[in-house]
Amino acid sequence: MADQNPIRAALEPSNDAVLLRIKVVPGASRDRVVGMLGDRLKVSVSAAQEGGKANKAVCKLLAKALNIAPRDVSVSAGQTQPIKTIHIVGIDLGAVSQRLAQACCG
């Protein structure tokens, strides 16, 4: 049976990691994994975008949602843009997909 999880559209395996395509909304009222926006996962953080604060908040939020250490989540592309690619290690693609679906939709 095919995986019906829409989060899969935002994920890509990469050597020893999983790449996650996201759209970040900084300065939101609260930190949360919102859901899919096209082929990207929309993430809102209350931190401002200056000085990398929003990037740190995104990594912390995603690490918590994935139940992994914050050091295992980093921004690999789009450091100064709302469209980012997140590099995740220490967890497989299926677990990332399932845990993010629970964080936003379950």
Side-chain angles (χ1 to χ4, degrees):
M1 178 158 90
D3 185 356
Q4 299 299 314
N5 186 338
I7 304 278
R8 288 275 188 169
L11 298 173
E12 180 182 330
S14 173
N15 296 331
D16 62 342
V18 175
L19 300 179
L20 170 63
R21 292 179 298 278
I22 66 169
K23 163 77 164 81
V24 178
V25 179
S29 60
R30 65 185 177 118
D31 295 352
R32 69 184 186 121
V33 178
V34 177
M36 291 301 291
L37 181 66
D39 66 346
R40 293 186 177 272
L41 183 66
K42 184 176 177 183
V43 178
S44 297
V45 293
S46 57
Q49 57 189 4
E50 71 248 0
K53 292 177 185 174
N55 287 345
K56 289 177 186 169
V58 165
C59 292
K60 184 178 175 183
L61 173 66
L62 291 173
K64 183 177 179 183
L66 294 168
N67 196 29
I68 60 175
R71 71 177 174 272
D72 293 336
V73 181
S74 61
V75 177
S76 63
Q79 281 79 0
T80 61
Q81 304 296 318
I83 301 296
K84 302 182 184 301
T85 301
I86 304 297
H87 185 264
I88 303 165
V89 297
I91 186 171
D92 67 41
L93 189 136
V96 170
S97 176
Q98 180 182 29
R99 291 176 188 179
L100 289 176
Q102 290 172 344
C104 75
C105 314

